[in-house]
Amino acid sequence: MTEDSAVPWLDDAEQIAWRSFMNGTQRLFDAINDSLVETSGLTFADYRILVLLSENDQLRMSALADGALSTKSTISRRVARLAEAGFVERLAKDHDKDARNRVCRITPAGRDKLHEAAKEHVVAVRTYLLDHLDDHEREAMGTTFSKVDKWLRDNPQTRVK
């Protein structure tokens, strides 16, 4: 156990920043997810998978998991549901029996579903986030979270276990 004096406790300003981020992002993602489910029947996670697949001819399940910030098993289950709905198709790669090693791609029906969902998704993103920020705040947000994302990707060994 560490000594309390060795813990880098958050000061008041840091505590406000952290809690504002935590509460705001949770509410934001919940609102965007609820909007997508209500308007398209897709969850935010499903939408993200379709976006990633729409930007690539095909993706290995492991690459899709990395892009969607998810585990391979979670992606495999989500892709199975999207495939059952006809939005994604799995392709065997080199006769591999392990579904997590396969590649998948978006279907024409998946592109149509994504296109329709994107219309309401953009409205939700504007309504719940962007319309409340000025140009400087949007730029600061982009810079800040690009920096955080890059640092976390470059330093996976620092994750607290």
Side-chain angles (χ1 to χ4, degrees):
M1 200 100 171
T2 60
E3 292 289 322
D4 268 4
S5 61
V7 176
W9 296 108
L10 303 180
D11 65 26
D12 290 344
E14 291 169 330
Q15 187 72 251
I16 289 169
W18 168 243
R19 288 192 181 194
S20 297
F21 167 79
M22 185 175 52
N23 294 341
T25 55
Q26 185 66 53
R27 284 190 178 94
L28 175 63
F29 285 121
D30 287 349
I32 288 175
N33 186 72
D34 291 349
S35 175
L36 276 167
V37 169
E38 184 178 318
T39 60
S40 70
L42 295 174
T43 65
F44 182 68
D46 295 337
Y47 179 84
R48 189 170 183 160
I49 289 168
L50 291 178
V51 167
L52 290 167
L53 290 174
S54 75
E55 295 170 342
N56 297 275
D57 291 333
Q58 59 186 24
L59 282 175
R60 290 182 65 83
M61 297 297 283
S62 57
L64 187 56
D66 288 344
L69 307 176
S70 190
T71 64
K72 289 179 190 176
S73 61
T74 297
I75 285 296
S76 186
R77 287 190 303 274
R78 288 194 178 282
V79 167
R81 285 195 300 272
L82 290 168
E84 188 175 304
F87 303 140
V88 170
E89 64 182 334
R90 288 183 170 189
L91 309 165
K93 186 165 179 78
D94 302 327
H95 307 291
D96 196 332
K97 301 290 185 210
D98 186 348
R100 293 170 298 177
N101 291 329
R102 294 185 182 177
V103 295
C104 61
R105 66 181 172 204
I106 193 169
T107 63
R111 283 191 189 282
D112 291 344
K113 184 70 167 177
L114 177 61
H115 180 73
E116 287 305 310
K119 294 174 188 177
E120 292 300 324
H121 175 68
V122 169
V123 170
V125 169
R126 287 191 179 285
T127 301
Y128 301 138
L129 177 65
L130 299 176
D131 288 350
H132 308 287
L133 305 176
D134 64 29
D135 292 344
H136 174 74
E137 291 166 327
R138 284 189 295 272
E139 184 179 329
M141 185 177 74
T143 300
T144 299
F145 291 106
S146 291
K147 184 183 263 187
V148 169
D149 184 49
K150 181 180 180 339
W151 189 89
L152 288 168
R153 282 184 286 117
D154 292 349
N155 297 281
Q157 72 283 0
T158 62
R159 292 268 174 96
V160 177
K161 305 218 188 296

